[in-house]
Amino acid sequence: MRAVVQTVGRASVTVDGEVVGAITDGLLVLLGVTHTDTPELAATMARKVHELRILDDERSAADTGAPILLVSQFTLYGDTRKGPGGQPPADRWSSRRRSPAPAWRAVPARVGRRCRAR
């Protein structure tokens, strides 16, 4: 699991011209989840993001009640290595891989109502 966390004055997510999530004065989290991530790892990541002291006066979202906008960002696991024939490594596209969805869904559940997952 990988996260890029940014403090923001405002942030929003727009899908097909419709705003599906928006916050002011909080944290924007771009979260990459992969097939090896577990709900337990998600709980740890959620706690770390919620308690990360990067807001004014070294305070956290947990301290201030600041909102968190959580955005799925699978490109954080991008792999530009070339395998045989110029293709990415075959294990990256295996149909036998476990879905990362359970770990993804666990993060906003662990952070609580202050987190808007999109």
Side-chain angles (χ1 to χ4, degrees):
M1 190 168 290
R2 296 178 182 169
V4 175
V5 182
Q6 174 72 47
T7 59
V8 295
R10 67 175 184 231
S12 64
V13 176
T14 304
V15 177
D16 293 331
E18 178 184 344
V19 175
V20 295
I23 62 168
T24 57
D25 298 320
L27 299 177
L28 171 63
V29 180
L30 305 178
L31 185 67
V33 180
T34 189
H35 65 286
T36 57
D37 293 335
T38 64
E40 294 77 24
L41 180 60
T44 299
M45 179 65 79
R47 180 185 51 75
K48 286 182 176 185
V49 167
H50 198 230
E51 296 175 357
L52 188 61
R53 297 186 170 281
I54 62 172
L55 297 173
D56 290 338
D57 299 324
E58 294 185 14
R59 294 172 55 192
S60 68
D63 295 335
T64 64
I68 299 171
L69 182 61
L70 184 62
V71 180
S72 175
Q73 192 66 34
F74 67 90
T75 58
L76 292 175
Y77 277 97
D79 186 350
T80 58
R81 293 177 296 169
K82 298 283 185 169
Q87 297 296 316
D91 66 331
R92 303 289 275 179
W93 307 109
S94 171
S95 62
R96 293 186 300 261
R97 291 172 58 182
R98 188 172 50 122
S99 169
W104 163 253
R105 286 191 294 269
V107 174
R110 299 292 181 154
V111 172
R113 285 191 245 182
R114 294 263 175 222
C115 181
R116 302 257 338 245
R118 293 292 171 211

